[in-house]
Amino acid sequence: MDDPSRDVETWLGQLRPDQSDKVKWLAGLVHEAVQEVDVAIKWRQLTFTVDDNWHHWLCAISVTAQEVNLMFHKGSLLDDPAGMLEGQGRYLRRVRHHRAVANPEGVTALVRQAIVHQTDMGEGGGAP
């Protein structure tokens, strides 16, 4: 059986120090918003869910050469009064790291909303 904490450490070890610092900061926000959160490397991202429900994951931290983003699986279903979420897809939305730094309370609110909408399917009822 895989050890999720070892997988996370291995994944973090592959990042540049500046990327790793941003990932850890964003992960800290998620952990503050959700006390009982499951964490694993899924789809090459640091991914978070509750109740071990990986089909309906909450959010993930995605790292590219240029950016570190907090991705919301059901982001299109979230209320976003601060206008932090970006994206045009059916469900997936992102918050760029620099926007999260400017409004950490907004990120906390989005994470908590993601739990409420974890298994929602949105309009059309199809699987995301």
Side-chain angles (χ1 to χ4, degrees):
M1 180 180 272
D2 292 338
D3 178 0
S5 61
R6 182 175 297 200
D7 292 345
V8 170
E9 289 304 316
T10 299
W11 183 81
L12 284 169
Q14 297 171 5
L15 303 177
R16 297 186 319 251
D18 63 309
Q19 293 170 322
S20 180
D21 289 345
K22 290 175 181 179
V23 167
K24 290 176 184 176
W25 186 83
L26 286 170
L29 284 182
V30 174
H31 283 287
E32 287 177 22
V34 185
Q35 296 303 313
E36 299 291 325
V37 67
D38 302 308
V39 181
I41 302 301
K42 302 276 186 186
W43 310 284
R44 293 175 288 168
Q45 305 174 104
L46 183 62
T47 308
F48 303 87
T49 196
V50 293
D51 298 328
D52 208 31
N53 186 346
W54 295 106
H55 180 71
H56 296 286
W57 52 277
L58 300 175
C59 57
I61 301 173
S62 173
V63 179
T64 67
Q66 295 80 27
E67 294 186 309
V68 175
N69 298 303
L70 183 59
M71 310 298 289
F72 286 91
H73 186 212
K74 306 283 179 78
S76 65
L77 304 178
L78 305 180
D79 183 34
D80 181 27
M84 298 176 65
L85 294 169
E86 298 177 8
Q88 300 297 319
R90 183 171 177 197
Y91 287 101
L92 192 65
R93 297 290 184 273
R94 73 177 176 187
V95 174
R96 296 175 193 250
H97 177 267
H98 71 274
R99 298 194 81 183
V101 169
N103 188 354
E105 296 84 12
V107 172
T108 298
L110 290 170
V111 172
R112 290 181 178 153
Q113 279 189 70
I115 294 169
V116 173
H117 294 288
Q118 182 176 8
T119 59
D120 291 356
M121 300 308 276
E123 292 185 29

